[in-house]
Amino acid sequence: MIAELGRQAGLTARYGIEGIAQAAEIVTEPVRFVTDHAARAMGFSGGKPLGEVASGFADTLGLPKPENATERVVGDINRFAAGGAGMAGAARGVARAVAPAAQQAMGAGAAQVARGPLQAAAEGMAANPGMQIAGAAGTGLGAGIAREEGGGTVAQIVAGLAGGMSAAGLTQAARSVGQAAKRLVPVRHRVVDQRIDEALKQAGVNWSEVPEQVRRLVREDAAQALKTGDDLNADALSRLVEFRRVGATPTRGTVSLDPVQITREQNLARMGANASDEGLHGLARVQNDNNRALIDNLNRLGADSADDAFAAGERAISGLQRGLDAQKANVDHLYSQARDSAGRSFPLDGHSFTTTASKLLDDNLLGGALPESVQSHLNRIAQGQVPFTVDYAQQLATAIGKLQRGTSDGQTRMALGLVRRALDDTPIMEMGQQGPAAGARMTGTTAPYAGGPELGQQAVDAFNKARLANKMMMRRIERIPGLKAVYEGNATPDDFVQKHVISSAAKGQDVQALASLLRSTDHQAHEAVRASIAQHLKQAAIGIASDEGGKFSASGFNRALFRLRAQRKLKAFFSPEEIEQLQAVGRVSHYTTAQPAGSAVNNSNSGTFLMGRGLDLLDRLSSKLPLFNIGTTVSGGIRSVQQRQAQNVGAALARRPQPQTGNPPAITFGTLQNAGAE
């Protein structure tokens, strides 16, 4: 082991000597070109490149030489890195040497403004030595691998350029992380909440009304974003709240709705899904998990436990029928009490009634509009042919009410209403005071007089109470189509919920009244209809597919939700918090599938399929060279990109200041690098 360590140390020394010498060739080779031509003209042989001289010197020192592909590629890396370091150091020295001379010749102020081309080039090459070295090392790695794989000169140049750019990019990313880490300052929850509240107000969201478990998650995301930017993006933050509310995973693209970022994420997800490496499936699985999270939200509201249409309709009809039975039983009981009252046989003033009714009809020119049956009653009462008692008057009032409800003729309804008004205003008389148009009719062995007209009024009040209860019941039946269908026996279980609740033809106020009845008479029936609504929304989203196989349709769900919400039907069966949850599901389903103008998502999946297969091929090819586990490194790099795209929502939440112009590109031996800090 000690011998191997010594060998590696010797190889490192050789690579350092050769690398510095090769880097110096950028200066020595033009000079050698001139001197060699002059020497040959005089009959002398030319000199050797400085790199060969350095290799010979290393041989003289007895330093080991690389013996296999791995050692040769490592040698390329070290030589290029040493050359990059030497170039950066030399450029820094040139810049420092040129600056004083320029100041002396032009003055400090002028020299600062008008730097010479030599000074500018030197400063550019000296900028970011770490990136210079990393880029050079990457160039050596790429070119060395290409050479060992049998690539020609062009292939080695291209591979070296790609390797240099990749290495420098990773170095710049690491530097950015380091700079960001220096700016990390603990942000108190109170300050974060204040910043969130200010941002969400711009988006019309009340931060105080957001559930605490959602607030906690959003607060963590916002605190991270505030470490990288000055302000919070109100729209992006409001979208993040929706994601956290429904339990879905946000991504940078779905939160920002930036068309370029969405294009990258969607295409990367498709590309990864078409690759065999499970590490590349991250974004595709996020999309699948979000799809399931949306479905689960509907299931929690009852969509997965809903009865079929027939069973739900049957429950609703049964619940309404029980309510009707209870109301009818109450009306019958009140009428029974009125009929059993002692004052129902008291006489009414028939003369006053018939005179008033006739005058009202004549004054309104409605005498000919009164039904013949009612006119016949008026004639018999006026002639004293019937005992005009409280009992008789209530029977007449019931008959008038039925005629009013059964006719569509406006004049007839008005005429009957006038007669009814006269009947209600007719005074009750003392026993024995009735004239020809009134008479007492005693029942059983009841005494002819038992207290006076107040007993008769009590009987009238009892009948009025019973009649009012019946009137209220019938008015409710007429006002609610679903209840009327049950009352008339026309309701069918299989389409009851669809027809009287979900359908656009069902009015919102009728649905609310129907729900109120169900809630008061049969809570389970109310819950059955509620679950049917949730199931209707779920079917609009995924059709009849299973939860595992259904793909959530944002457009289908939002259309169905809009119709129910626009008619104010949701609040009849769901709480305000549940309605907000449904709306959040609709919005998140849109965010996760949105392709705004400017996006270029490969929906055909053709290109991403080929790219996914290409990744498989790249892994197979690179795995043939065990150097530094290159195959794993390639896949790992792509996986890292996926994870950043999927989870770095902070970049979308922070409203960052405009980036400044970067430094001029810096050049290293063998590669071109961008030294600007973005």
Side-chain angles (χ1 to χ4, degrees):
M1 180 176 180
I2 295 176
E4 180 61 26
L5 289 175
R7 173 177 172 77
Q8 295 301 322
L11 286 172
T12 302
R14 170 182 285 275
Y15 300 150
I17 294 171
E18 293 176 346
I20 295 174
Q22 289 174 359
E25 287 179 355
I26 195 172
V27 176
T28 62
E29 282 303 289
V31 175
R32 189 178 70 84
F33 177 81
V34 176
T35 57
D36 280 1
H37 275 72
R40 291 191 184 96
M42 291 184 292
F44 298 100
S45 61
K48 295 181 179 180
L50 188 59
E52 291 185 15
V53 174
S55 296
F57 178 67
D59 293 340
T60 302
L61 295 177
L63 298 177
K65 295 182 179 181
E67 298 177 351
N68 53 45
T70 299
E71 290 184 348
R72 285 192 293 271
V73 173
V74 171
D76 293 330
I77 295 173
N78 286 327
R79 280 192 292 268
F80 275 77
M87 288 290 293
R92 185 181 300 108
V94 171
R96 290 176 179 174
V98 171
Q103 290 180 3
Q104 183 177 0
M106 304 174 61
Q112 184 67 21
V113 175
R115 296 182 302 167
L118 177 60
Q119 182 183 357
E123 290 178 352
M125 295 177 65
N128 298 319
M131 286 183 59
Q132 300 278 8
I133 296 171
T139 299
L141 173 63
I145 291 176
R147 184 192 62 243
E148 297 300 325
E149 288 293 316
T153 302
V154 175
Q156 293 180 40
I157 293 174
V158 173
L161 182 62
M165 294 179 66
S166 300
L170 292 174
T171 302
Q172 178 60 30
R175 173 174 295 177
S176 299
V177 171
Q179 291 174 348
K182 294 178 182 178
R183 296 195 300 267
L184 295 182
V185 178
V187 184
R188 297 180 180 178
H189 282 182
R190 181 180 58 81
V191 177
V192 174
D193 277 357
Q194 181 180 359
R195 300 286 289 275
I196 293 174
D197 184 56
E198 292 172 354
L200 288 180
K201 282 181 179 177
Q202 301 176 30
V205 179
N206 190 336
W207 175 239
S208 63
E209 295 179 357
V210 176
E212 179 55 35
Q213 66 271 21
V214 176
R215 289 162 59 93
R216 179 177 56 81
L217 295 173
V218 173
R219 188 182 293 115
E220 293 175 359
D221 296 326
Q224 292 297 323
L226 288 172
K227 297 172 183 177
T228 59
D230 295 333
D231 298 315
L232 293 174
N233 186 308
D235 293 332
L237 189 62
S238 66
R239 296 185 194 107
L240 177 66
V241 171
E242 307 286 11
F243 271 94
R244 297 308 188 192
R245 188 189 294 273
V246 303
T249 301
T251 67
R252 184 175 175 181
T254 55
V255 169
S256 67
L257 292 188
D258 175 61
V260 176
Q261 185 65 29
I262 286 177
T263 299
R264 291 172 179 170
E265 290 182 5
Q266 294 284 354
N267 289 341
L268 186 58
R270 288 168 170 79
M271 180 182 66
N274 282 299
S276 59
D277 186 352
E278 293 185 358
L280 305 181
H281 301 164
L283 279 178
R285 296 198 181 280
V286 166
Q287 293 177 351
N288 182 263
D289 291 343
N290 285 346
N291 187 80
R292 185 55 190 264
L294 298 175
I295 297 173
D296 287 344
N297 273 268
L298 300 182
N299 288 340
R300 284 192 289 271
L301 293 176
D304 62 338
S305 59
D307 296 326
D308 57 45
F310 185 91
E314 194 171 42
R315 281 195 177 192
I317 292 172
S318 297
L320 294 173
Q321 187 62 61
R322 279 192 290 273
L324 282 175
D325 291 343
Q327 292 180 60
K328 289 168 66 177
N330 179 58
V331 170
D332 291 343
H333 176 68
L334 292 175
Y335 270 116
S336 177
Q337 286 183 327
R339 283 190 292 269
D340 292 341
S341 62
R344 67 187 181 88
S345 297
F346 268 72
L348 277 70
D349 190 342
H351 176 72
S352 174
F353 165 61
T354 55
T355 300
T356 301
S358 297
K359 186 176 185 305
L360 288 173
L361 292 170
D362 291 341
D363 291 345
N364 291 275
L365 303 178
L366 292 173
L370 191 67
E372 185 178 348
S373 60
V374 177
Q375 185 63 59
S376 175
H377 279 289
L378 291 178
N379 293 337
R380 285 187 292 168
I381 292 172
Q383 296 171 10
Q385 296 178 3
V386 294
F388 187 44
T389 62
V390 170
D391 194 11
Y392 186 94
Q394 298 307 315
Q395 295 178 28
L396 178 59
T398 300
I400 290 174
K402 289 181 179 180
L403 289 172
Q404 282 183 305
R405 290 192 296 271
T407 183
S408 59
D409 188 301
Q411 288 192 323
T412 300
R413 292 174 66 90
M414 187 178 296
L416 290 169
L418 294 175
V419 174
R420 175 61 187 270
R421 186 198 305 175
L423 184 61
D424 291 341
D425 293 339
T426 301
I428 300 173
M429 302 176 65
E430 290 277 1
M431 282 291 189
Q433 292 183 356
Q434 63 271 29
R441 181 181 63 185
M442 305 304 297
T443 58
T445 58
T446 305
Y449 182 78
E454 65 274 7
L455 291 179
Q457 186 60 50
Q458 291 174 2
V460 171
D461 292 343
F463 275 107
N464 286 341
K465 183 178 181 181
R467 189 175 294 110
L468 179 62
N470 183 71
K471 180 180 180 180
M472 295 297 294
M473 181 184 72
M474 295 307 300
R475 180 178 295 176
R476 177 177 292 177
I477 291 172
E478 292 293 330
R479 192 177 72 247
I480 307 175
L483 184 62
K484 184 178 181 180
V486 174
Y487 178 77
E488 295 177 349
N490 299 325
T492 53
D494 55 343
D495 66 346
F496 184 84
V497 176
Q498 176 64 35
K499 182 177 181 180
H500 296 289
V501 178
I502 296 174
S503 171
S504 298
K507 297 180 180 179
Q509 59 183 6
D510 297 339
V511 173
Q512 292 177 29
L514 186 69
S516 179
L517 278 177
L518 288 174
R519 192 181 298 108
S520 61
T521 58
D522 191 334
H523 180 70
Q524 291 185 347
H526 180 272
E527 289 297 304
V529 176
R530 178 180 182 272
S532 292
I533 296 174
Q535 186 182 59
H536 165 73
L537 292 172
K538 181 178 177 180
Q539 289 178 348
I542 66 171
I544 60 174
S546 65
D547 291 358
E548 295 78 9
K551 186 174 181 179
F552 202 98
S553 169
S555 58
F557 175 82
N558 283 314
R559 276 196 301 269
L561 182 66
F562 174 78
R563 293 191 186 110
L564 292 172
R565 186 168 57 88
Q567 293 183 301
R568 299 183 178 180
K569 296 178 181 179
L570 290 176
K571 67 179 184 180
F573 294 94
F574 298 94
S575 68
E577 294 77 16
E578 290 170 336
I579 295 174
E580 179 59 33
Q581 191 74 6
L582 285 171
Q583 292 175 330
V585 168
R587 289 189 285 265
V588 171
S589 69
H590 168 68
Y591 301 151
T592 56
T593 57
Q595 295 183 15
S599 60
V601 179
N602 183 20
N603 292 308
S604 67
N605 203 34
S606 56
T608 50
F609 172 79
L610 295 176
M611 293 177 69
R613 293 308 183 199
L615 287 176
D616 291 345
L617 178 61
L618 177 62
D619 274 353
R620 288 196 297 271
L621 291 176
S622 61
S623 63
K624 294 180 180 179
L625 184 64
L627 175 64
F628 297 138
N629 200 14
I630 281 292
T632 305
T633 302
V634 172
S635 298
I638 299 174
R639 280 197 294 268
S640 177
V641 172
Q642 284 187 313
Q643 293 303 317
R644 288 200 301 272
Q645 296 286 2
Q647 299 180 9
N648 185 20
V649 295
L653 295 180
R655 190 185 301 277
R656 299 192 179 191
Q658 292 296 326
Q660 298 180 355
T661 304
N663 293 330
I667 302 175
T668 63
F669 182 65
T671 188
L672 185 65
Q673 295 299 325
N674 185 356
E678 296 183 353

